[in-house]
Amino acid sequence: MKLAPSILSADFANLATEIGKVADAEYIHIDIMDGHFVDNLTFGANVVKALRPYSKQVFDCHLMVTNPENMLDALKQAGADIVGVHYEACPHLHRTLVKIKELGMKAEVVINPATPVSVIEPVLAIVDQVLVMTVDPGLGGQVFLQETLSKISQLAKYKHQHALNFEIEVDGGINDQTIQLAKKAGATVAVAGSYVFGAEKPVERLNALRMGAVERR
Ligand code: DX5
Ligand code: ZN
């Protein structure tokens, strides 16, 4: 499984140093919040750009903003690799995902815990990644919602049946236990914020996640 430490729980005064602590993770997960789609306000493309020279990892940008299409050009220029937009924030979902791809980035669709998989079926053939939120977005440190597991399985089944190869990412409440549930259900990428950056040695938490993500029989 790929790991995507979320800098939402890192020290905002020292972000470059913080991402250095998780250099062996595949992705860096960057939560962009606008104080509108969610109450919290974090950072935008400028911070993505400022961090870019400090990491060669995949920058996985999760947009919790209304009108995400207005931010895509700036994110491309900033060096974003994957851009995720919420189904709930995108009235013209297909167009927005196509624009992300046309800009040369990977396109991701994100669904909240209460949103069913069926509503994103029309775009599954064009996305590179699907993010199934395993908590309601906006805050770190929340409890993993077990009822999202059936959606992960449903997506994995759809992917297999239609011979598609998008990644299935999970985000919210991931630790060394919940990652096992997500992996078993079919997730291929796990975001973890407070579990990783809440520890003195983030790298030890990454190792624990990797252990948890090893298939158990
Ligand atoms: C929540 C964000 C998450 C957050 C996860 O809205 O999308 O990426 O950082 O935090 P944890 O891992 O602490 O639940
Ligand atoms: Zn996120």
Side-chain angles (χ1 to χ4, degrees):
M1 228 178 163
K2 291 178 183 159
L3 297 181
S6 164
I7 59 169
L8 183 65
S9 290
D11 176 1
F12 279 14
N14 294 291
L15 283 178
T17 313
E18 293 283 84
I19 61 174
K21 294 178 184 171
V22 292
D24 67 338
E26 287 80 2
Y27 292 1
I28 297 293
H29 185 80
I30 302 177
D31 287 300
I32 298 182
M33 304 184 184
D34 65 352
H36 186 73
F37 179 68
V38 291
D39 291 340
N40 216 344
L41 182 65
T42 56
F43 29 67
N46 285 347
V47 169
V48 177
K49 190 174 186 177
L51 290 176
R52 190 66 277 186
Y54 293 91
S55 168
K56 290 191 164 52
Q57 289 147 286
V58 171
F59 275 10
D60 178 37
C61 299
H62 174 192
L63 305 191
M64 284 159 275
V65 305
T66 50
N67 304 319
E69 55 282 353
N70 295 344
M71 208 180 265
L72 302 179
D73 291 305
L75 281 170
K76 173 62 186 175
Q77 279 167 23
D81 297 297
I82 304 174
V83 174
V85 294
H86 270 261
Y87 164 82
E88 301 84 2
C90 261
H92 312 296
L93 187 58
H94 191 276
R95 182 192 296 158
T96 304
L97 292 167
V98 167
K99 180 162 182 205
I100 294 170
K101 286 163 69 113
E102 281 175 356
L103 284 168
M105 300 181 288
K106 289 195 170 168
E108 172 188 74
V109 63
V110 189
I111 50 172
N112 277 340
T115 302
V117 168
S118 57
V119 298
I120 56 163
E121 279 181 6
V123 297
L124 288 178
I126 63 162
V127 296
D128 299 291
Q129 186 163 288
V130 178
L131 170 51
V132 178
M133 289 305 298
T134 43
V135 299
D136 279 308
L139 292 170
Q142 301 181 82
V143 176
F144 182 89
L145 296 171
Q146 303 254 352
E147 52 272 41
T148 58
L149 288 168
S150 59
K151 295 202 300 177
I152 300 166
S153 315
Q154 195 186 335
L155 260 176
K157 192 173 164 198
Y158 186 99
K159 173 175 151 176
H160 181 72
Q161 282 174 343
H162 293 80
L164 296 171
N165 57 11
F166 53 81
E167 302 271 11
I168 302 178
E169 185 174 49
V170 285
D171 182 6
I174 295 295
N175 55 39
D176 59 337
Q177 304 298 309
T178 53
I179 197 171
Q180 296 178 38
L181 305 174
K183 158 105 185 166
K184 210 171 155 206
T188 59
V189 185
V191 176
S194 54
Y195 182 72
V196 171
F197 285 105
E200 198 133 319
K201 293 194 176 148
V203 71
E204 287 178 2
R205 290 291 171 89
L206 288 180
N207 291 338
L209 287 172
R210 290 206 194 280
M211 291 297 289
V214 169
E215 199 100 48
R216 289 170 195 243
R217 287 165 202 280

